[in-house]
Coordinates of all heavy atoms in Angstrom, one line a residue:
M1 N -46.9 -206.9 -5.7 CA -46.3 -208.1 -6.4 C -45.7 -207.7 -7.8 O -46.3 -208.0 -8.8 CB -47.4 -209.2 -6.6 CG -47.7 -210.0 -5.3 SD -46.5 -211.4 -5.2 CE -47.0 -212.5 -6.4
G2 N -44.7 -206.9 -7.8 CA -44.2 -206.6 -9.1 C -42.9 -207.4 -9.4 O -42.0 -207.5 -8.6
H3 N -42.9 -207.9 -10.5 CA -41.7 -208.8 -10.9 C -41.6 -208.8 -12.3 O -42.5 -209.3 -13.1 CB -41.9 -210.2 -10.4 CG -40.8 -211.1 -10.8 ND1 -41.0 -212.5 -10.8 CD2 -39.5 -210.9 -11.1 CE1 -39.8 -213.1 -11.3 NE2 -38.9 -212.1 -11.4
T4 N -40.6 -208.1 -12.8 CA -40.4 -208.1 -14.3 C -39.1 -208.6 -14.7 O -38.2 -208.6 -13.9 CB -40.5 -206.6 -14.8 OG1 -39.6 -205.8 -14.1 CG2 -41.9 -206.1 -14.5
V5 N -39.0 -209.0 -15.9 CA -37.7 -209.6 -16.4 C -37.3 -208.8 -17.6 O -38.0 -208.5 -18.4 CB -37.9 -211.0 -16.8 CG1 -36.5 -211.7 -17.3 CG2 -38.4 -211.9 -15.5
Q6 N -36.1 -208.4 -17.6 CA -35.5 -207.6 -18.7 C -34.2 -208.2 -19.2 O -33.3 -208.6 -18.4 CB -35.2 -206.1 -18.1 CG -34.6 -205.3 -19.0 CD -33.7 -204.2 -18.3 OE1 -34.0 -204.0 -17.2 NE2 -32.6 -203.8 -18.8
A7 N -34.0 -208.2 -20.5 CA -32.8 -208.7 -21.0 C -32.1 -207.7 -21.9 O -32.7 -207.0 -22.7 CB -33.1 -209.9 -21.9
D8 N -30.8 -207.5 -21.6 CA -29.9 -206.7 -22.5 C -29.8 -207.3 -23.9 O -30.0 -208.4 -24.0 CB -28.5 -206.5 -21.8 CG -28.6 -205.3 -20.7 OD1 -29.7 -204.8 -20.6 OD2 -27.7 -205.2 -20.1
E9 N -29.2 -206.5 -24.7 CA -28.8 -207.0 -26.1 C -27.8 -208.0 -25.9 O -27.7 -209.0 -26.7 CB -28.2 -205.8 -26.9 CG -28.9 -204.5 -27.0 CD -28.6 -203.7 -25.7 OE1 -27.4 -203.3 -25.5 OE2 -29.5 -203.4 -24.9
D10 N -26.9 -207.9 -24.9 CA -25.8 -208.9 -24.8 C -26.3 -210.2 -24.1 O -25.5 -211.1 -24.0 CB -24.6 -208.4 -24.2 CG -24.9 -207.9 -22.7 OD1 -26.0 -208.2 -22.2 OD2 -23.9 -207.6 -22.0
G11 N -27.5 -210.3 -23.7 CA -28.1 -211.5 -23.2 C -28.1 -211.4 -21.7 O -28.6 -212.4 -21.1
T12 N -27.6 -210.4 -21.1 CA -27.7 -210.4 -19.6 C -29.1 -210.2 -19.2 O -29.8 -209.3 -19.7 CB -26.8 -209.2 -19.1 OG1 -25.5 -209.4 -19.6 CG2 -26.8 -209.2 -17.5
V13 N -29.6 -210.9 -18.3 CA -30.9 -210.9 -17.9 C -31.0 -210.2 -16.4 O -30.2 -210.6 -15.5 CB -31.6 -212.3 -17.8 CG1 -33.1 -212.2 -17.4 CG2 -31.5 -213.0 -19.2
Y14 N -32.0 -209.4 -16.3 CA -32.2 -208.8 -14.9 C -33.6 -209.1 -14.4 O -34.6 -209.0 -15.2 CB -32.0 -207.2 -15.0 CG -30.6 -206.8 -15.4 CD1 -30.3 -206.6 -16.7 CD2 -29.6 -206.6 -14.4 CE1 -29.0 -206.3 -17.1 CE2 -28.4 -206.3 -14.9 CZ -28.2 -206.1 -16.2 OH -26.8 -205.7 -16.6
H15 N -33.7 -209.4 -13.3 CA -35.0 -209.5 -12.6 C -35.3 -208.4 -11.7 O -34.3 -208.0 -10.9 CB -35.1 -210.8 -11.7 CG -35.3 -212.0 -12.5 ND1 -35.7 -213.3 -12.0 CD2 -35.1 -212.3 -13.8 CE1 -35.8 -214.1 -12.9 NE2 -35.3 -213.8 -14.0
H16 N -36.4 -207.8 -11.8 CA -36.7 -206.6 -10.9 C -37.8 -207.0 -10.1 O -38.9 -207.4 -10.4 CB -37.2 -205.4 -11.8 CG -36.1 -205.0 -12.9 ND1 -35.0 -204.3 -12.6 CD2 -36.1 -205.1 -14.2 CE1 -34.3 -204.1 -13.6 NE2 -34.9 -204.6 -14.7
H17 N -37.6 -206.9 -8.8 CA -38.6 -207.1 -7.8 C -38.9 -205.9 -7.1 O -38.1 -205.2 -6.6 CB -37.9 -208.2 -6.7 CG -37.6 -209.5 -7.2 ND1 -38.5 -210.6 -7.4 CD2 -36.5 -209.9 -7.9 CE1 -38.0 -211.6 -8.0 NE2 -36.8 -211.3 -8.2
R18 N -40.2 -205.7 -6.8 CA -40.7 -204.5 -6.1 C -41.2 -205.0 -4.8 O -42.1 -205.8 -4.8 CB -41.8 -203.8 -6.9 CG -42.2 -202.5 -6.2 CD -43.3 -201.8 -6.9 NE -42.8 -201.1 -8.1 CZ -42.0 -199.9 -8.0 NH1 -41.8 -199.4 -6.9 NH2 -41.6 -199.4 -9.1
T19 N -40.7 -204.5 -3.8 CA -41.1 -204.8 -2.4 C -41.5 -203.4 -1.7 O -40.6 -202.7 -1.4 CB -40.0 -205.4 -1.7 OG1 -39.4 -206.6 -2.3 CG2 -40.5 -205.9 -0.2
G20 N -42.8 -203.2 -1.6 CA -43.2 -201.9 -1.2 C -42.8 -200.8 -2.1 O -43.0 -200.9 -3.3
D21 N -42.0 -199.8 -1.7 CA -41.5 -198.7 -2.5 C -40.1 -199.1 -3.0 O -39.5 -198.2 -3.6 CB -41.4 -197.5 -1.7 CG -42.9 -196.9 -1.4 OD1 -43.8 -197.3 -2.0 OD2 -43.0 -196.2 -0.3
T22 N -39.6 -200.2 -2.7 CA -38.2 -200.5 -3.1 C -38.1 -201.3 -4.2 O -38.8 -202.4 -4.3 CB -37.5 -201.2 -1.8 OG1 -37.6 -200.4 -0.7 CG2 -36.1 -201.4 -2.1
M23 N -37.3 -201.0 -5.2 CA -37.1 -201.8 -6.4 C -35.8 -202.4 -6.3 O -34.7 -201.8 -6.1 CB -37.3 -200.9 -7.6 CG -37.0 -201.8 -9.0 SD -38.4 -202.9 -9.2 CE -39.4 -201.9 -10.4
Q24 N -35.8 -203.7 -6.3 CA -34.6 -204.6 -6.2 C -34.3 -205.1 -7.6 O -35.1 -205.7 -8.2 CB -34.7 -205.7 -5.1 CG -33.5 -206.3 -4.9 CD -33.7 -207.5 -4.0 OE1 -34.8 -207.9 -3.8 NE2 -32.5 -208.0 -3.4
T25 N -33.0 -205.0 -8.0 CA -32.6 -205.4 -9.4 C -31.6 -206.6 -9.1 O -30.6 -206.3 -8.4 CB -32.0 -204.3 -10.3 OG1 -33.1 -203.4 -10.5 CG2 -31.6 -204.9 -11.5
I26 N -31.8 -207.8 -9.7 CA -30.9 -208.8 -9.5 C -30.5 -209.2 -11.0 O -31.2 -209.5 -11.8 CB -31.6 -210.0 -8.9 CG1 -32.1 -209.7 -7.5 CG2 -30.7 -211.2 -8.9 CD1 -33.1 -210.7 -6.9
K27 N -29.1 -209.1 -11.1 CA -28.5 -209.6 -12.3 C -28.6 -211.1 -12.4 O -28.1 -211.8 -11.5 CB -27.1 -209.1 -12.5 CG -26.5 -209.4 -13.8 CD -25.1 -208.8 -13.8 CE -24.3 -209.2 -15.0 NZ -23.0 -208.8 -15.1
V28 N -29.1 -211.7 -13.4 CA -29.2 -213.1 -13.4 C -28.2 -213.7 -14.5 O -28.1 -213.2 -15.5 CB -30.7 -213.5 -14.0 CG1 -30.8 -215.1 -14.2 CG2 -31.7 -213.0 -13.1
V29 N -27.3 -214.6 -13.9 CA -26.3 -215.2 -14.7 C -26.5 -216.7 -14.9 O -27.2 -217.3 -14.0 CB -24.9 -214.9 -14.1 CG1 -24.6 -213.5 -14.1 CG2 -24.9 -215.5 -12.7
P30 N -26.1 -217.2 -16.0 CA -26.4 -218.7 -16.2 C -25.5 -219.5 -15.3 O -24.4 -219.1 -14.9 CB -26.1 -218.9 -17.6 CG -25.2 -217.8 -18.0 CD -25.6 -216.5 -17.1
C31 N -25.9 -220.6 -14.9 CA -25.1 -221.5 -14.1 C -23.9 -221.9 -15.0 O -24.1 -222.3 -16.1 CB -25.9 -222.8 -13.7 SG -24.9 -224.1 -13.0
E32 N -22.7 -221.8 -14.5 CA -21.5 -222.1 -15.2 C -20.9 -223.4 -14.9 O -19.7 -223.7 -15.2 CB -20.5 -220.9 -15.1 CG -20.9 -219.6 -15.8 CD -19.8 -218.6 -15.7 OE1 -18.7 -218.9 -15.3 OE2 -20.2 -217.5 -16.1
C33 N -21.6 -224.3 -14.4 CA -21.2 -225.6 -14.0 C -20.7 -226.3 -15.4 O -21.4 -226.3 -16.4 CB -22.4 -226.4 -13.5 SG -21.8 -228.2 -13.1
S34 N -19.5 -226.9 -15.4 CA -19.0 -227.6 -16.5 C -18.4 -228.9 -16.1 O -17.5 -229.5 -16.8 CB -17.9 -226.7 -17.2 OG -16.9 -226.4 -16.3
D35 N -19.0 -229.5 -15.1 CA -18.5 -230.8 -14.6 C -19.2 -231.9 -15.2 O -20.5 -232.0 -14.9 CB -18.6 -230.7 -13.1 CG -18.1 -232.1 -12.4 OD1 -17.7 -232.9 -13.2 OD2 -18.4 -232.2 -11.2
P36 N -18.6 -232.7 -16.0 CA -19.3 -233.9 -16.6 C -19.9 -234.8 -15.7 O -20.8 -235.6 -16.0 CB -18.3 -234.4 -17.6 CG -17.1 -233.6 -17.5 CD -17.2 -232.6 -16.3
G37 N -19.3 -234.9 -14.4 CA -19.8 -235.7 -13.4 C -20.9 -235.2 -12.6 O -21.5 -235.9 -11.7
C38 N -21.4 -234.0 -12.9 CA -22.5 -233.4 -12.2 C -23.7 -234.0 -12.8 O -23.8 -234.4 -14.0 CB -22.5 -231.9 -12.4 SG -23.8 -231.0 -11.6
P39 N -24.9 -234.0 -12.1 CA -26.1 -234.5 -12.6 C -26.6 -233.7 -13.9 O -27.2 -234.3 -14.7 CB -27.1 -234.3 -11.5 CG -26.3 -234.3 -10.2 CD -24.9 -233.7 -10.6
C40 N -26.0 -232.6 -14.1 CA -26.5 -231.8 -15.3 C -25.5 -232.2 -16.4 O -25.7 -231.7 -17.5 CB -26.3 -230.2 -15.0 SG -24.6 -229.7 -15.0
M41 N -24.5 -233.0 -16.1 CA -23.5 -233.4 -17.2 C -22.7 -232.2 -17.7 O -22.3 -232.3 -18.8 CB -24.1 -234.2 -18.2 CG -25.1 -235.2 -17.6 SD -25.3 -236.9 -18.3 CE -24.7 -236.9 -19.9
G42 N -22.6 -231.2 -17.0 CA -21.8 -229.9 -17.5 C -22.6 -229.1 -18.5 O -22.0 -228.3 -19.1
K43 N -23.9 -229.4 -18.6 CA -24.7 -228.6 -19.6 C -25.9 -227.9 -18.9 O -27.0 -228.1 -19.4 CB -25.2 -229.5 -20.7 CG -24.0 -230.1 -21.5 CD -24.5 -231.2 -22.4 CE -23.4 -231.9 -23.1 NZ -23.8 -233.2 -23.7
C44 N -25.6 -227.4 -17.8 CA -26.6 -226.8 -17.1 C -27.3 -225.6 -17.7 O -26.7 -224.9 -18.3 CB -26.2 -226.4 -15.7 SG -27.6 -226.0 -14.5
T45 N -28.6 -225.5 -17.6 CA -29.3 -224.3 -18.3 C -30.1 -223.4 -17.3 O -30.8 -222.6 -17.6 CB -30.2 -224.8 -19.4 OG1 -31.2 -225.7 -18.7 CG2 -29.6 -225.5 -20.5
L46 N -29.7 -223.7 -16.0 CA -30.5 -223.0 -14.9 C -29.7 -221.8 -14.6 O -28.6 -221.5 -15.1 CB -30.6 -223.9 -13.6 CG -31.4 -225.1 -13.9 CD1 -31.4 -226.0 -12.6 CD2 -32.8 -224.8 -14.3
Y47 N -30.2 -221.0 -13.7 CA -29.6 -219.7 -13.3 C -28.7 -219.9 -12.1 O -28.8 -220.8 -11.3 CB -30.6 -218.7 -12.8 CG -31.6 -218.2 -13.9 CD1 -32.9 -218.0 -13.6 CD2 -31.1 -217.8 -15.1 CE1 -33.7 -217.6 -14.5 CE2 -31.9 -217.3 -16.0 CZ -33.3 -217.2 -15.7 OH -34.1 -216.7 -16.8
G48 N -27.5 -219.3 -12.3 CA -26.5 -219.4 -11.2 C -26.8 -218.4 -10.1 O -26.4 -217.3 -10.1
N49 N -27.4 -218.9 -9.0 CA -27.8 -217.9 -8.0 C -26.9 -218.1 -6.8 O -27.1 -217.5 -5.8 CB -29.3 -218.0 -7.5 CG -29.8 -219.4 -7.5 OD1 -29.0 -220.4 -7.4 ND2 -31.0 -219.7 -7.6
T50 N -25.9 -219.0 -6.9 CA -24.9 -219.1 -5.8 C -23.6 -219.0 -6.4 O -23.3 -219.5 -7.6 CB -25.0 -220.5 -5.2 OG1 -26.3 -220.7 -4.7 CG2 -24.1 -220.7 -3.9
T51 N -22.6 -218.2 -5.8 CA -21.2 -218.2 -6.3 C -20.3 -219.2 -5.5 O -20.3 -219.0 -4.2 CB -20.8 -216.7 -6.4 OG1 -21.7 -215.9 -7.1 CG2 -19.4 -216.7 -6.8
L52 N -19.7 -220.0 -6.2 CA -18.7 -220.8 -5.4 C -17.3 -220.5 -5.9 O -17.0 -220.0 -6.9 CB -19.0 -222.4 -5.8 CG -20.3 -222.8 -5.5 CD1 -20.5 -224.4 -5.7 CD2 -20.6 -222.6 -3.9
Y53 N -16.3 -220.8 -5.1 CA -15.0 -220.5 -5.3 C -14.2 -221.8 -5.2 O -14.3 -222.6 -4.3 CB -14.5 -219.5 -4.3 CG -15.3 -218.2 -4.4 CD1 -16.4 -218.1 -3.5 CD2 -14.9 -217.2 -5.2 CE1 -17.1 -216.9 -3.5 CE2 -15.6 -216.0 -5.2 CZ -16.8 -215.9 -4.4 OH -17.5 -214.8 -4.5
R54 N -13.2 -221.9 -6.1 CA -12.3 -223.1 -6.1 C -11.4 -223.0 -4.8 O -11.0 -222.1 -4.4 CB -11.3 -223.0 -7.3 CG -12.0 -223.0 -8.6 CD -12.5 -224.4 -9.0 NE -11.3 -225.3 -9.0 CZ -10.9 -226.0 -10.1 NH1 -11.6 -225.8 -11.2 NH2 -10.0 -226.8 -10.1
V55 N -11.1 -224.2 -4.3 CA -10.3 -224.2 -3.1 C -8.9 -224.7 -3.5 O -8.0 -224.5 -2.6 CB -10.9 -225.5 -2.1 CG1 -12.3 -225.0 -1.6 CG2 -10.8 -226.8 -2.8
D56 N -8.7 -225.0 -4.7 CA -7.2 -225.5 -5.1 C -6.5 -224.4 -5.9 O -5.4 -224.6 -6.4 CB -7.4 -226.7 -5.9 CG -8.2 -226.6 -7.2 OD1 -9.0 -225.6 -7.2 OD2 -8.0 -227.4 -8.1
M57 N -7.0 -223.2 -6.0 CA -6.4 -222.2 -6.6 C -7.0 -220.8 -6.1 O -8.0 -220.8 -5.6 CB -6.5 -222.2 -8.2 CG -7.9 -222.1 -8.6 SD -8.1 -222.1 -10.5 CE -7.8 -223.8 -10.8
I58 N -6.2 -219.7 -6.3 CA -6.8 -218.4 -6.0 C -7.8 -218.1 -7.0 O -7.8 -218.0 -8.3 CB -5.7 -217.3 -6.1 CG1 -4.7 -217.6 -5.0 CG2 -6.3 -215.9 -5.9 CD1 -3.5 -216.8 -5.1
D59 N -9.0 -217.9 -6.5 CA -10.3 -217.7 -7.3 C -11.0 -216.5 -6.7 O -11.7 -216.4 -5.8 CB -11.1 -218.9 -7.2 CG -12.3 -218.8 -8.1 OD1 -12.5 -217.8 -8.7 OD2 -13.0 -219.9 -8.2
K60 N -10.8 -215.3 -7.4 CA -11.4 -214.1 -6.9 C -12.7 -213.8 -7.5 O -13.5 -213.0 -7.1 CB -10.5 -212.9 -7.2 CG -9.2 -213.0 -6.4 CD -8.6 -211.5 -6.2 CE -7.3 -211.6 -5.5 NZ -7.4 -212.3 -4.2
T61 N -13.0 -214.4 -8.7 CA -14.2 -214.1 -9.4 C -15.3 -215.1 -9.1 O -16.4 -214.7 -8.9 CB -14.0 -214.1 -10.9 OG1 -13.4 -215.3 -11.3 CG2 -13.1 -213.0 -11.4
G62 N -15.0 -216.3 -8.7 CA -16.0 -217.3 -8.4 C -16.7 -217.8 -9.6 O -16.4 -217.3 -10.8
T63 N -17.6 -218.8 -9.4 CA -18.2 -219.5 -10.5 C -19.7 -219.4 -10.2 O -20.1 -220.1 -9.2 CB -17.8 -220.9 -10.8 OG1 -16.4 -220.9 -11.1 CG2 -18.5 -221.5 -11.9
P64 N -20.6 -218.8 -10.9 CA -21.9 -218.8 -10.6 C -22.5 -220.2 -10.8 O -22.4 -220.8 -11.9 CB -22.7 -217.8 -11.5 CG -21.7 -217.6 -12.6 CD -20.3 -218.0 -12.0
M65 N -23.4 -220.8 -9.9 CA -24.0 -222.0 -10.1 C -25.4 -222.0 -9.5 O -25.7 -221.4 -8.5 CB -23.1 -223.2 -9.4 CG -21.8 -223.4 -10.1 SD -21.2 -225.1 -9.5 CE -19.5 -224.9 -10.0
C66 N -26.2 -222.9 -10.1 CA -27.5 -223.1 -9.5 C -27.5 -223.9 -8.3 O -26.4 -224.5 -7.9 CB -28.5 -223.7 -10.5 SG -28.1 -225.4 -10.9
D67 N -28.6 -224.0 -7.5 CA -28.6 -224.6 -6.2 C -28.1 -226.1 -6.5 O -27.4 -226.7 -5.7 CB -29.9 -224.5 -5.6 CG -30.2 -223.1 -5.2 OD1 -29.3 -222.3 -5.1 OD2 -31.5 -222.9 -5.0
R68 N -28.7 -226.7 -7.5 CA -28.4 -228.2 -7.7 C -26.9 -228.4 -8.0 O -26.4 -229.3 -7.3 CB -29.3 -228.7 -8.8 CG -29.4 -230.1 -9.0 CD -30.2 -230.6 -10.1 NE -29.7 -230.1 -11.4 CZ -30.0 -230.5 -12.5 NH1 -31.0 -231.4 -12.7 NH2 -29.5 -230.1 -13.7
C69 N -26.3 -227.6 -8.9 CA -25.0 -227.9 -9.2 C -24.0 -227.5 -8.0 O -23.0 -228.1 -7.8 CB -24.6 -227.1 -10.4 SG -25.4 -227.7 -11.9
A70 N -24.5 -226.4 -7.3 CA -23.7 -226.0 -6.2 C -23.6 -227.1 -5.1 O -22.6 -227.4 -4.6 CB -24.3 -224.7 -5.5
D71 N -24.6 -227.7 -4.8 CA -24.7 -228.9 -4.0 C -23.7 -230.0 -4.3 O -22.8 -230.5 -3.5 CB -26.0 -229.6 -3.9 CG -27.0 -228.9 -2.9 OD1 -26.5 -228.0 -2.1 OD2 -28.1 -229.3 -2.8
D72 N -23.7 -230.3 -5.6 CA -22.8 -231.3 -6.2 C -21.4 -230.9 -6.1 O -20.4 -231.6 -5.7 CB -23.2 -231.7 -7.6 CG -22.5 -232.9 -8.1 OD1 -22.8 -234.0 -7.8 OD2 -21.6 -232.8 -8.9
A73 N -21.2 -229.6 -6.4 CA -19.8 -229.0 -6.4 C -19.3 -229.0 -5.0 O -18.0 -229.3 -4.9 CB -19.7 -227.7 -7.1
L74 N -20.1 -228.7 -4.1 CA -19.5 -228.7 -2.7 C -19.2 -230.1 -2.2 O -18.3 -230.3 -1.5 CB -20.6 -228.0 -1.8 CG -20.8 -226.5 -2.0 CD1 -22.0 -225.9 -1.2 CD2 -19.5 -225.7 -1.6
D75 N -20.1 -231.0 -2.6 CA -19.9 -232.4 -2.2 C -18.5 -232.9 -2.8 O -17.8 -233.7 -2.1 CB -20.9 -233.3 -2.9 CG -22.1 -233.4 -1.9 OD1 -22.0 -232.9 -0.8 OD2 -23.2 -234.0 -2.3
S76 N -18.1 -232.3 -3.9 CA -16.8 -232.7 -4.5 C -15.6 -232.4 -3.8 O -14.5 -232.9 -4.0 CB -16.7 -232.2 -6.1 OG -16.5 -231.0 -6.0
G77 N -15.8 -231.2 -3.0 CA -14.7 -230.7 -2.2 C -13.8 -229.8 -3.0 O -12.8 -229.3 -2.4
V78 N -14.1 -229.6 -4.2 CA -13.3 -228.6 -5.0 C -13.7 -227.2 -4.9 O -12.9 -226.2 -5.1 CB -13.3 -229.0 -6.6 CG1 -12.6 -228.2 -7.5 CG2 -12.9 -230.5 -6.8
F79 N -15.0 -227.1 -4.5 CA -15.5 -225.6 -4.3 C -15.9 -225.4 -3.0 O -16.2 -226.3 -2.2 CB -16.7 -225.5 -5.2 CG -16.4 -225.3 -6.7 CD1 -16.2 -226.4 -7.5 CD2 -16.1 -224.1 -7.2 CE1 -16.0 -226.4 -8.8 CE2 -15.8 -224.0 -8.5 CZ -15.8 -225.1 -9.4
T80 N -15.9 -224.1 -2.6 CA -16.3 -223.7 -1.3 C -17.2 -222.4 -1.5 O -17.1 -221.7 -2.6 CB -15.2 -223.3 -0.3 OG1 -15.7 -222.8 0.9 CG2 -14.2 -222.3 -1.0
I81 N -18.0 -222.1 -0.5 CA -18.8 -220.9 -0.7 C -18.0 -219.7 -0.1 O -18.5 -218.5 -0.1 CB -20.2 -220.9 0.0 CG1 -20.1 -221.4 1.4 CG2 -21.1 -221.9 -0.7 CD1 -21.5 -221.3 2.2
D82 N -17.0 -219.9 0.6 CA -16.3 -218.8 1.3 C -15.0 -218.3 0.3 O -14.3 -219.1 -0.1 CB -15.6 -219.3 2.6 CG -16.6 -219.7 3.6 OD1 -17.7 -218.9 3.7 OD2 -16.5 -220.7 4.3
N83 N -15.0 -217.0 0.1 CA -14.0 -216.5 -0.8 C -12.8 -216.0 0.0 O -12.7 -214.9 0.2 CB -14.6 -215.3 -1.6 CG -13.5 -214.8 -2.5 OD1 -12.6 -215.5 -2.9 ND2 -13.9 -213.6 -3.1
N84 N -11.9 -216.8 0.5 CA -10.7 -216.3 1.2 C -9.6 -217.4 1.1 O -9.6 -218.4 0.4 CB -11.1 -216.0 2.6 CG -11.8 -217.1 3.4 OD1 -11.4 -218.3 3.1 ND2 -12.7 -216.8 4.3
Ligands
ZN101 ZN1 -26.5 -225.7 -12.7
ZN102 ZN1 -24.0 -229.1 -12.9

């Protein structure tokens, strides 16, 4: 049960999970939801563990969102989880 959290000087947060002999590092990014119509009112402070892509423009980078905002964004029809 190894789980440590590390933050860079620039604010990037990493979670380190140890599973047996394997160390897995997950880069933690903030949810970038900026939709005032979302339950978070565009001021989400959770982690963006899902990456969504705009459907109305070419979107190669995607937008990290937390589960709650991702649900709302997918409902709106503006975002998809498929990057193509
Ligand atoms: Zn969010
Ligand atoms: Zn939101």
Side-chain angles (χ1 to χ4, degrees):
M1 282 277 288
H3 177 202
T4 57
V5 179
Q6 169 212 337
D8 278 356
E9 314 80 61
D10 67 359
T12 306
V13 179
Y14 298 90
H15 282 199
H16 303 286
H17 295 267
R18 182 179 288 284
T19 308
D21 291 335
T22 307
M23 183 65 96
Q24 185 185 18
T25 299
I26 300 169
K27 184 178 173 184
V28 180
V29 293
C31 173
E32 288 184 10
C33 176
S34 57
D35 178 4
C38 179
C40 77
M41 316 219 338
K43 296 173 188 160
C44 191
T45 56
L46 300 176
Y47 292 136
N49 43 22
T50 303
T51 301
L52 298 185
Y53 302 90
R54 295 286 297 245
V55 297
D56 57 343
M57 64 176 78
I58 296 169
D59 185 353
K60 295 208 181 301
T61 52
T63 304
M65 289 198 197
C66 68
D67 293 340
R68 191 181 62 167
C69 294
D71 274 353
D72 191 74
L74 291 171
D75 274 354
S76 75
V78 180
F79 286 91
T80 176
I81 55 172
D82 297 315
N83 181 21
N84 55 34

